[in-house]
């Protein structure tokens, strides 16, 4: 497929939207440690997306097939989603101690599976489940503050992303028109996430209860 540069450039848009949304969500974490972990997770997810975009841009510009950038997506996304999911779990538990080891164990098993299988598929599963968990936890936090528009947008984002799965199995997947369709859907999904995260953070910041003394994460 002759991948146009403008299509490669547009692919940065959903990455920026998604990274910003994840960063906003990380600020709902009620403890400094969880906020740092959540922000680091958002940045790792963003770094994975940017790496994939750089690969696409290099390919479109005829600079070569930079496989390392393409393959960085799922490892970085899986690690970042794990950190952010843990941070949001702390938020859902209102700052009470939340064990990090189950999250780390799940990521470690997927990473080990990828090494043994010599395939990124296990890390793809970890990344997909992790990002889905982030949206679900974000929706739970939004519902706590009766931000039903935000909840609806989290659901919409998940539906749009899941809708990409059957599209990628289409015979027309490698056409430019289909790529525009997929990127349009992904951009809409990440825009929905960004707006939902902003609504969630706004509600959290205006009606936040202090963490009980002695509670940690």
């Amino acid at each position: 497929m002759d991948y146009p540069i403008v299509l490669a450039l547009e692919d940065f848009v959903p990455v920026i939207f998604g990274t910003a949304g994840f960063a906003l969500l990380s600020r709902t974490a009620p403890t400094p440690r969880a906020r740092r972990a959540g922000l680091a997770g958002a940045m790792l997810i963003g770094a994975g997306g940017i790496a994939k975009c750089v690969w696409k841009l290099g390919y479109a510009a005829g600079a070569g097939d930079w496989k390392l950038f393409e393959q960085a997506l799922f490892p970085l996304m899986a690690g970042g989603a794990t950190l952010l999911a843990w941070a949001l779990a702390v938020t859902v538990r209102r700052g009470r101690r939340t064990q990090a080891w189950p999250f780390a164990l799940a990521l470690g098993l997927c990473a080990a599976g990828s090494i043994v299988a010599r395939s990124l598929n296990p890390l793809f599963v970890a990344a997909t489940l992790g990002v889905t968990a982030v949206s679900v936890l974000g929706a739970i936090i939004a519902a706590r503050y009766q931000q039903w528009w935000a909840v609806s947008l989290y659901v919409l984002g998940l539906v749009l992303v899941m809708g990409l799965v059957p599209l990628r199995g289409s015979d027309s997947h490698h056409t430019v028109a289909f790529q525009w369709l997929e990127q349009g859907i992904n951009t809409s999904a990440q825009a929905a996430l960004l707006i939902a995260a902003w609504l969630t953070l706004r509600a959290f910041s205006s009606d936040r209860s202090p963490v009980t003394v002695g509670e940690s994460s």
Side-chain angles (χ1 to χ4, degrees):
M1 182 184 71
D2 186 15
Y3 202 86
I5 291 179
V6 65
L7 184 58
L9 289 173
E10 195 282 334
D11 204 35
F12 283 89
V13 177
V15 173
I16 293 169
F17 284 171
T19 303
F22 293 136
L24 290 176
L25 275 177
S26 73
R27 294 175 59 186
T28 65
T31 66
R33 181 188 175 196
R35 282 194 295 275
R36 289 193 298 268
L39 181 58
M43 294 301 102
L44 282 174
I45 295 172
I50 291 295
K52 183 68 176 286
C53 290
V54 169
W55 168 74
K56 284 187 177 181
L57 187 58
Y59 182 84
D65 189 1
W66 303 335
K67 283 292 186 182
L68 181 61
F69 286 90
E70 179 194 18
Q71 294 173 354
L73 174 62
F74 295 131
L76 290 173
M77 184 178 289
T82 300
L83 284 171
L84 183 54
W86 173 78
L88 295 181
V90 175
T91 305
V92 169
R93 288 175 52 78
R94 300 181 188 274
R96 293 193 295 273
R97 183 172 182 81
T98 305
Q99 296 291 342
W101 69 263
F103 297 83
L105 177 61
L107 176 62
L109 288 174
C110 288
S114 285
I115 292 172
V116 171
R118 295 184 179 180
S119 168
L120 289 175
N121 286 338
L123 283 173
F124 165 75
V125 172
T128 302
L129 292 179
V131 172
T132 301
V134 166
S135 290
V136 171
L137 290 168
I140 292 172
I141 298 166
R144 179 176 291 168
Y145 296 100
Q146 299 184 343
Q147 287 293 315
W148 306 119
W149 277 111
V151 173
S152 299
L153 288 169
Y154 285 120
V155 173
L156 174 61
L158 283 175
V159 169
L160 289 172
V161 169
M162 289 178 181
L164 289 172
V165 176
L167 289 180
R168 285 169 181 158
S170 170
D171 293 336
S172 303
H173 172 67
H174 295 293
T175 65
V176 173
F178 221 76
Q179 289 290 315
W180 273 114
L181 174 62
E182 290 183 355
Q183 288 191 194
I185 293 173
N186 190 33
T187 299
S188 299
Q190 301 312 314
L193 170 68
L194 175 56
I195 296 170
W198 175 73
L199 291 171
T200 304
L201 178 61
R202 186 179 67 171
F204 174 84
S205 300
S206 63
D207 187 26
R208 180 171 57 182
S209 300
V211 177
T212 304
V213 175
E215 289 182 347
S216 61
S217 60

